[in-house]
Amino acid sequence: DSGVTQTPKHLITATGQRVTLRCSPRSGDLSVYWYQQSLDQGLQFLIQYYNGEERAKGNILERFSAQQFPDLHSELNLSSLELGDSALYFCASSVAGPVDTQYFGPGTRLTVL
Amino acid sequence: AQSVTQLGSHVSVSEGALVLLRCNYSSSVPPYLFWYVQYPNQGLQLLLKYTSAATLVKGINGFEAEFKKSETSFHLTKPSAHMSDAAEYFCAVTPRGNYQLIWGAGTKLIIKP
């Protein structure tokens, strides 16, 4: 158990819909990262937050947004969903930056029908 | 742009044999380097990382990796494979001064009895 929790574990929804994925980091970690893992594109870094502020942005679509709240939990919002958004979405946390060990949650499997 | 190449999407070895998983990066300035492991239906777990201390890095579960600047490589090895090592292994880099992890495509390690 990494100490990072993600909810829900599975999500099935339809094209055009909007969903919210939630992540709680390990106690004491200030950074939260979001990743997408799909068969087509492999593991892709989406975005990083550090202590509530956006720190780095990767291959995140404009339809996707994220935030980190004062209690350090984070949410990833995916809107106008397309079939191609079906993937595993991982959240990870670390003490500060990416050189620190990142601890991964179990992931949320999103299926868009 | 920085990239990571993992040679071989699948590597098969016999139980007890040497494990060698290859990773090369493209950068004139050595980045920070990581190996992560993903067991089936689980999140990723850090095996080891190189952050410019010793070039031979020891990790968990008997794995080690050697940073070779002249070859821009960071290959992962284990002297004797165990059935429990069957998993997917990802090499990742963080360019210095950057905050995101750039991932290789992954190598599935298959252990033959």
Side-chain angles (χ1 to χ4, degrees), chain A residues 33 94 97-102, chain B residues 32 34 49-51 94 98:
Chain A
Y33 310 79
S94 72
V99 179
D100 302 316
T101 299
Q102 291 188 36
Chain B
Y32 300 116
F34 307 81
K49 63 181 175 182
Y50 167 77
T51 58
T94 294
N98 201 315

Side-chain angles (χ1 to χ4, degrees), chain B residues 2-62:
Chain B
Q2 177 77 261
S3 65
V4 181
T5 303
Q6 290 184 242
L7 193 62
S9 58
H10 293 77
V11 168
S12 181
V13 302
S14 298
E15 193 174 15
L18 171 73
V19 174
L20 171 60
L21 304 181
R22 299 178 190 271
C23 173
N24 288 87
Y25 63 91
S26 67
S27 171
S28 56
V29 177
Y32 300 116
L33 295 146
F34 307 81
W35 276 100
Y36 279 82
V37 61
Q38 185 177 28
Y39 297 101
N41 301 313
Q42 291 187 33
L44 290 90
Q45 180 184 13
L46 180 69
L47 274 178
L48 47 82
K49 63 181 175 182
Y50 167 77
T51 58
S52 75
T55 56
L56 183 62
V57 182
K58 293 190 186 298
I60 61 171
N61 301 340

Side-chain angles (χ1 to χ4, degrees), chain B residues 58-78:
Chain B
K58 293 190 186 298
I60 61 171
N61 301 340
F63 284 93
E64 62 182 39
E66 187 172 7
F67 169 67
K68 289 188 177 178
K69 184 178 175 182
S70 60
E71 298 177 9
T72 60
S73 69
F74 191 55
H75 301 332
L76 182 71
T77 60
K78 181 173 180 177

Side-chain angles (χ1 to χ4, degrees), chain A residues 4-110:
Chain A
V4 178
T5 59
Q6 288 187 249
T7 55
K9 197 164 183 169
H10 300 277
L11 201 46
I12 301 174
T13 189
T15 53
Q17 295 297 305
R18 173 189 165 94
V19 297
T20 298
L21 312 183
R22 184 189 165 101
C23 168
S24 292
R26 287 190 329 148
S27 176
D29 285 356
L30 298 179
S31 275
V32 168
Y33 310 79
W34 285 99
Y35 295 93
Q36 181 194 60
Q37 186 178 35
S38 65
L39 286 173
D40 294 348
Q41 308 214 22
L43 256 172
Q44 301 271 324
F45 165 72
L46 295 178
I47 198 163
Q48 180 204 354
Y49 279 83
Y50 173 76
N51 204 21
E53 302 278 331
E54 181 186 305
R55 175 168 269 188
K57 217 171 203 181
N59 299 320
I60 189 165
L61 299 171
E62 281 190 19
R63 300 183 285 107
F64 296 0
S65 65
Q67 52 185 333
Q68 185 179 28
F69 294 88
D71 67 352
L72 300 178
H73 92 270
S74 178
E75 293 181 354
L76 179 67
N77 300 296
L78 315 176
S79 61
S80 303
L81 285 168
E82 302 175 0
L83 295 177
D85 297 328
S86 296
L88 252 180
Y89 290 84
F90 286 108
C91 165
S93 73
S94 72
V95 171
V99 179
D100 302 316
T101 299
Q102 291 188 36
Y103 294 88
F104 280 74
T108 293
R109 183 169 291 282
L110 173 67

